[in-house]
Amino acid sequence: MKTTTYYLLLCLLLGSPTLLAQGSGITISGTVREAGKKTPIAYATVMLRGKVDDQMIDGTTTDDDGKFELYTTYGDFYVELSFMGYLTKKITDFEFEGAHLDLGNIFFEEDSQTLDEVVIQGEKSRTEFQLDKRVFNVGQDIGSTGASALDILNNIPSVSVNIEGQISLRGSQGVRILINGKPSVLASEQGNIMGTITADMIERIEVITNPSAKYEAEGTSGIINIVLKKEGEQSLSGSITVNTGMPNNHSLGLSLNKRTDRLNLFTQLGIGYRTFPRHNETFSNDLSTNNELNTLSDRDFNEAFYNLILGTDYRINNSTVISLSGQFAYEKETTDSNNDYTLKNPEGILTDAWSRKEDSYADNPKWQSELQLKKDFDDSGDHILLISGTGAFFRKDQVSDFQNQTTVGNSPNAFQKLNTDFKEGIYTFKLDYTRPLAEYYELETGAQYVINEVSNDYGVLDLREDEWVPNMDFTNIFLFDQDVLGMYGTVAKEKDKWGAKLGLRYEYSSLDTRLENTGEKNRQHYGDFFPTVHTSYKFSDQYSIQAGYSARIFRPGLWELNPFFALQDNFNIYTGNPNLSPEYTDSYEVTSIFHWDKISLNVGVYQRRTTNVIEEVLTVQDNVSIRKPDNVGFSRTTGLELNGKYTPWEWASIDFDLNYNAFSRKGDYNEQSFDFSGDRWISRMMTKVKLPKDFDLEAAWNHESAYKTLQLDILENYYFDLGLRKKLLKGKSVINLSVRDVFASRRYRAISSGQGLEFNRLGMQGRFVTLGISYGIGKGNAMEFSGQKSF
């Protein structure tokens, strides 16, 4: 940690921040449009540069309606605007009176001769700070070659994804994942979190650590909203990408877009085949018997996947747009695993040894459709009504065959079969209304109703005397029905230098779970208010500050509540708890944002206070380790976050991210005190270098410190990623090579001792190498990355 800290300080000291001339404050605004069709251009880059030295003073991107607004205290500047496929515009001559410069409509002319320069403009991902969220605009980083949505998330400041695929925000789980602002089976646990969403499909990712009342209150750590691309070019544009890699990592991606004055058609297709190897080692000792059990497990998860998105936006008139989109994904999975067990008595003598082999296959179809109506009530684009309905469905049909074969001891060989028929539907209905109340005020109000219906028909059969007999201890149908109705209102006031936003949300939750065969039921019906407060102040173009508060909730999901055992390793078992209560969190944060010539730096402090904390409780009986979630009390987490970027030269940059938090837990479980405290830090540093001959190099170092959970000590984890890129045909084609976890050092290691048990577990996946090539179609540019399916 000392080495990393010293390196960060050195980067900061070398920045040599230089302040430009001071001037009276002025707001610059305008609208960017395409010259031929007069349609607005979203996400165009707008920069203020100094006339003397051409240094960037400030920058932003246009919104969905092509509008932008910037504020500066500098007097001697010009405006530079750019977007892929269009000529860059520089506006140097203008006159303004008072504190506002309105540039009006700015028209972009097409340019087909500067493809290479266009690619360079959009080369790097960047983070923008808004009043109640951070927006990570996904760029063309080399390390994203062959990457899944999980890999992209792992490169975003404050977000981490562990080797198990679990997402954390500032070191805490309980994050709510949304797709285009709505819940989706594509982001559900059973649906393999964002498995069929590939990097080339993502426009931006919004990280909302303290969501306003406009967003649903689910997710104690915050919300991550993944916004998928619709593209935006006139005429035909797109790209085609091919990947191959080791272990099996082969895919083909196609993205196309056709846009006219009134109609926008878009489609994306992805197909691929992946293998994910997994190695686990587990040691457990039941101190009541002193029998030691060791397990070695090797598992290959193989998957063929297909993903298709079709959609259209139709402009009925100048003020009304209707959008219809659909997505179909299909996964065909096979799993081969082998678990080897050895059991020793208290004297250390081997008494039993056996193996358990698994052969599983599953079909997973899932689809989603959405209909949305957007109504603009005036030309400003600030007075709007959005109405949408989304339906999503996921199904999993799985059959698993298990064989136990004894090599030492007298235990008979055994055969077991597992059948799963899983169905999930999520239906979301939303209404959002935004209206300016005066020059600086804005009102937002709306409602959302989410219906989640799940059926999990789970059966286990044992082979007895050549006949498959149901094992009624593990066979049942679990039904999960949850409805959440939310209503909200916010009022915001935002001037040139400061802004404030107050909000209140009410949510009524209805949850019913049932075990059909046993008749066990759990019903919860409750309503809660969730207030939010957000403020910001801009001291200068170099320094601003944000502060926020929000009340949050984490409702136990299907797999926290589902009581079925996972039987792949029948001596290391996870089971849900249908009697869990929701977590409630009060979240506070203050963030300072600095921008200098060569350095941008964000420093934040935060605190979360959570009641009804849900934590896994580990028990060992007869050497069977069972992990089960339960409500264990109260927790407080206080943290410091530092992230930024240092660009010492035009051809090199350093991105860094450091998150430290200290936590304490108080609670009792089964008449035992579980009070404890600890700390944790996560750091990441990425270096990007431009090499001769249009080569680019990226290297990223990640480190996660050791930390404590309720009963386990999680040991430190570190890994190194590397990427190399070569542009061809003036940027029309790109070749990428990426190596994730270069030294195969990324491992999950957990140990525990006490309370009647000893437990030690190691998990690892190994190195992934991907080679990809992409080619731009029509006016489209080559993708600098493409899709990987992750589980």
Side-chain angles (χ1 to χ4, degrees):
M1 180 177 180
K2 290 183 179 179
T3 302
T4 302
T5 304
Y6 293 154
Y7 191 39
L8 290 176
L9 291 176
L10 179 62
C11 293
L12 296 177
L13 292 174
L14 291 176
S16 301
T18 303
L19 295 179
L20 301 178
Q22 297 292 321
S24 58
I26 183 172
T27 300
I28 304 100
S29 63
T31 303
V32 177
R33 298 183 181 275
E34 193 271 332
K37 302 295 184 179
K38 305 297 188 294
T39 54
I41 298 177
Y43 309 114
T45 300
V46 184
M47 290 186 291
L48 299 185
R49 292 188 180 275
K51 287 185 177 180
V52 176
D53 54 9
D54 288 327
Q55 291 294 318
M56 190 180 78
I57 300 170
D58 202 354
T60 187
T61 58
T62 57
D63 61 18
D64 291 338
D65 298 308
K67 298 179 181 296
F68 69 89
E69 185 174 281
L70 285 167
Y71 174 82
T72 185
T73 57
Y74 293 89
D76 196 15
F77 65 86
Y78 69 89
V79 183
E80 182 179 282
L81 305 99
S82 60
F83 189 69
M84 292 184 298
Y86 295 88
L87 289 169
T88 297
K89 293 188 71 71
K90 292 183 180 180
I91 303 176
T92 57
D93 297 323
F94 41 75
E95 296 181 0
F96 52 88
E97 298 180 359
H100 187 224
L101 170 61
D102 187 359
L103 298 176
N105 289 318
I106 304 166
F107 295 101
F108 272 13
E109 301 285 346
E110 295 184 3
D111 180 16
S112 59
Q113 304 298 318
T114 57
L115 290 174
D116 188 45
E117 287 77 8
V118 168
V119 172
I120 292 174
Q121 285 176 1
E123 183 173 354
K124 296 176 182 177
S125 303
R126 65 187 186 278
T127 303
E128 299 175 4
F129 284 79
Q130 299 183 8
L131 187 59
D132 57 350
K133 62 188 173 185
R134 275 180 270 181
V135 180
F136 184 82
N137 296 288
V138 178
Q140 301 160 355
D141 308 294
I142 310 169
S144 298
T145 303
S148 69
L150 289 177
D151 297 314
I152 299 299
L153 284 173
N154 208 34
N155 287 325
I156 295 178
S158 307
V159 182
S160 61
V161 183
N162 69 11
I163 198 170
E164 306 287 347
Q166 296 171 319
I167 301 171
S168 299
L169 185 57
R170 291 174 170 169
S172 297
Q173 295 180 13
V175 185
R176 180 66 160 167
I177 307 296
L178 303 178
I179 306 296
N180 291 331
K182 303 175 185 66
S184 171
V185 293
L186 301 176
S188 69
E189 293 182 55
Q190 183 62 15
N192 297 330
I193 297 178
M194 294 169 292
T196 54
I197 299 176
T198 54
D200 53 322
M201 299 165 63
I202 301 174
E203 176 71 41
R204 66 185 186 275
I205 297 176
E206 299 174 346
V207 179
I208 311 167
T209 53
N210 252 330
S212 72
K214 180 177 180 177
Y215 300 94
E216 55 187 298
E218 178 73 26
T220 53
S221 297
I223 293 173
I224 296 176
N225 181 32
I226 299 175
V227 181
L228 302 181
K229 287 182 178 178
K230 289 185 180 179
E231 303 297 338
E233 297 285 339
Q234 290 286 338
S235 68
L236 179 68
S237 63
S239 66
I240 184 170
T241 307
V242 179
N243 286 322
T244 188
M246 299 182 298
N248 293 322
N249 181 11
H250 317 297
S251 65
L252 171 67
L254 176 66
S255 176
L256 292 174
N257 182 84
K258 172 70 175 178
R259 186 169 185 174
T260 64
D261 187 25
R262 287 185 174 271
L263 187 66
N264 180 38
L265 299 172
F266 54 92
T267 182
Q268 293 178 340
L269 171 68
I271 59 175
Y273 178 75
R274 303 285 187 261
T275 296
F276 295 91
R278 180 78 181 189
H279 177 75
N280 289 313
E281 299 177 11
T282 305
F283 163 83
S284 64
N285 182 14
D286 187 343
L287 298 182
S288 63
T289 63
N290 279 325
N291 290 326
E292 296 182 1
L293 177 69
N294 286 277
T295 307
L296 292 178
S297 173
D298 287 291
R299 182 173 185 258
D300 279 344
F301 178 87
N302 307 286
E303 181 180 57
F305 73 94
Y306 311 86
N307 184 37
L308 174 65
I309 293 178
L310 292 171
T312 181
D313 302 318
Y314 179 70
R315 184 175 295 275
I316 299 174
N317 51 48
N318 291 334
S319 64
T320 307
V321 177
I322 187 169
S323 300
L324 176 63
S325 63
Q327 178 163 357
F328 174 76
Y330 179 78
E331 303 156 356
K332 193 172 185 64
E333 303 171 353
T334 61
T335 302
D336 303 307
S337 70
N338 185 74
N339 299 326
D340 291 321
Y341 302 88
T342 57
L343 183 64
K344 296 180 180 180
N345 64 16
E347 288 73 34
I349 299 174
L350 178 66
T351 60
D352 295 275
W354 69 98
S355 65
R356 180 175 175 84
K357 295 182 178 180
E358 175 192 0
D359 183 12
S360 297
Y361 57 91
D363 293 318
N364 306 335
K366 45 188 166 184
W367 54 88
Q368 177 172 310
S369 60
E370 178 181 1
L371 179 63
Q372 176 179 284
L373 177 69
K374 179 182 178 182
K375 170 69 175 178
D376 291 308
F377 292 95
D378 56 33
D379 294 334
S380 70
D382 297 327
H383 185 191
I384 61 175
L385 173 68
L386 277 172
I387 303 174
S388 67
T390 304
F393 185 79
F394 171 74
R395 180 165 186 169
K396 187 181 189 75
D397 294 318
Q398 179 173 324
V399 176
S400 302
D401 292 312
F402 297 95
Q403 177 183 352
N404 285 12
Q405 185 171 1
T406 300
T407 54
V408 176
N410 299 319
S411 299
N413 295 336
F415 297 87
Q416 198 171 56
K417 186 184 293 289
L418 185 152
N419 295 323
T420 301
D421 184 6
F422 177 91
K423 301 173 185 177
E424 178 178 17
I426 301 177
Y427 311 94
T428 305
F429 306 93
K430 288 191 66 175
L431 183 150
D432 296 293
Y433 177 70
T434 304
R435 178 172 184 173
L437 296 179
E439 183 177 1
Y440 299 109
Y441 290 89
E442 184 176 80
L443 169 71
E444 293 178 316
T445 187
Q448 175 177 282
Y449 186 45
V450 180
I451 303 170
N452 191 359
E453 299 175 344
V454 177
S455 170
N456 188 25
D457 189 344
Y458 188 90
V460 176
L461 299 92
D462 297 318
L463 186 62
R464 298 175 184 172
E465 298 179 354
D466 296 328
E467 184 178 349
W468 289 106
V469 179
N471 187 329
M472 299 312 298
D473 291 335
F474 299 103
T475 299
N476 215 320
I477 299 176
F478 182 65
L479 301 178
F480 171 95
D481 295 310
Q482 179 174 273
D483 299 344
V484 179
L485 173 63
M487 297 174 286
Y488 74 91
T490 71
V491 177
K493 182 178 182 180
E494 192 163 6
K495 300 190 71 174
D496 295 336
K497 287 192 173 185
W498 67 273
K501 192 173 189 177
L502 303 177
L504 182 65
R505 186 178 185 92
Y506 175 79
E507 291 188 352
Y508 181 79
S509 307
S510 173
L511 171 67
D512 288 304
T513 67
R514 301 181 299 283
L515 286 168
E516 289 286 282
N517 294 359
T518 61
E520 182 180 350
K521 297 180 180 180
N522 176 27
R523 293 182 177 177
Q524 300 181 29
H525 303 273
Y526 49 91
D528 301 289
F529 286 97
F530 300 95
T532 62
V533 180
H534 294 85
T535 61
S536 67
Y537 188 82
K538 187 174 183 178
F539 292 91
S540 68
D541 288 327
Q542 287 74 42
Y543 174 57
S544 60
I545 190 170
Q546 296 176 332
Y549 161 79
S550 66
R552 313 293 301 154
I553 187 174
F554 174 72
R555 301 177 183 87
L558 170 68
W559 298 107
E560 286 89 8
L561 300 172
N562 192 336
F564 293 135
F565 290 149
L567 294 178
Q568 282 80 10
D569 179 355
N570 56 0
F571 278 80
N572 296 284
I573 292 172
Y574 174 85
T575 179
N577 179 0
N579 297 312
L580 287 176
S581 298
E583 289 183 348
Y584 291 92
T585 294
D586 292 307
S587 179
Y588 309 82
E589 69 174 50
V590 178
T591 301
S592 297
I593 306 166
F594 302 86
H595 291 286
W596 295 301
D597 182 24
K598 295 184 177 182
I599 293 179
S600 61
L601 180 65
N602 310 302
V603 181
V605 293
Y606 59 90
Q607 185 176 90
R608 292 191 300 267
R609 300 179 182 180
T610 304
T611 57
N612 288 343
V613 173
I614 297 174
E615 187 110 32
E616 286 186 6
V617 178
L618 174 67
T619 59
V620 177
Q621 296 179 345
D622 297 327
N623 291 108
V624 178
S625 303
I626 300 176
R627 294 175 293 122
K628 181 180 180 180
D630 217 318
N631 297 105
V632 296
F634 168 83
S635 73
R636 176 186 285 112
T637 300
T638 303
L640 170 68
E641 183 178 49
L642 184 150
N643 53 69
K645 183 173 188 174
Y646 174 52
T647 308
W649 306 283
E650 291 184 0
W651 50 268
S653 65
I654 300 170
D655 294 85
F656 51 89
D657 183 22
L658 177 65
N659 188 294
Y660 171 83
N661 64 69
F663 53 85
S664 62
R665 304 285 175 90
K666 295 184 179 296
D668 298 306
Y669 181 78
N670 286 347
E671 300 181 353
Q672 294 184 21
S673 174
F674 278 99
D675 295 355
F676 74 98
S677 60
D679 59 3
R680 180 184 185 185
W681 62 273
I682 301 172
S683 64
R684 175 171 53 232
M685 184 172 292
M686 177 184 290
T687 300
K688 305 178 183 180
V689 180
K690 290 183 177 297
L691 302 175
K693 304 295 184 181
D694 282 333
F695 279 97
D696 296 317
L697 177 69
E698 281 183 8
W701 172 259
N702 300 266
H703 186 273
E704 300 178 13
S705 73
Y707 65 97
K708 295 181 63 175
T709 66
L710 189 65
Q711 294 170 290
L712 298 176
D713 291 320
I714 312 299
L715 304 187
E716 70 173 347
N717 184 21
Y718 51 88
Y719 55 98
F720 181 71
D721 298 331
L722 196 63
L724 183 67
R725 175 172 64 211
K726 166 68 174 174
K727 297 188 181 78
L728 302 171
L729 305 176
K730 295 184 178 181
K732 195 69 176 179
S733 181
V734 176
I735 298 177
N736 300 280
L737 175 67
S738 71
V739 185
R740 288 195 294 277
D741 195 5
V742 174
F743 303 110
S745 58
R746 191 179 187 188
R747 304 182 178 189
Y748 172 82
R749 293 172 292 177
I751 60 175
S752 175
S753 179
Q755 296 159 347
L757 62 93
E758 291 181 357
F759 181 83
N760 193 325
R761 184 174 179 87
L762 165 69
M764 58 183 297
Q765 285 184 303
R767 184 184 303 107
F768 287 83
V769 181
T770 303
L771 176 66
I773 183 168
S774 180
Y775 182 79
I777 298 173
K779 284 171 55 67
N781 293 295
M783 293 292 177
E784 306 288 343
F785 45 70
S786 188
Q788 170 175 329
K789 175 68 176 67
S790 180
F791 72 102

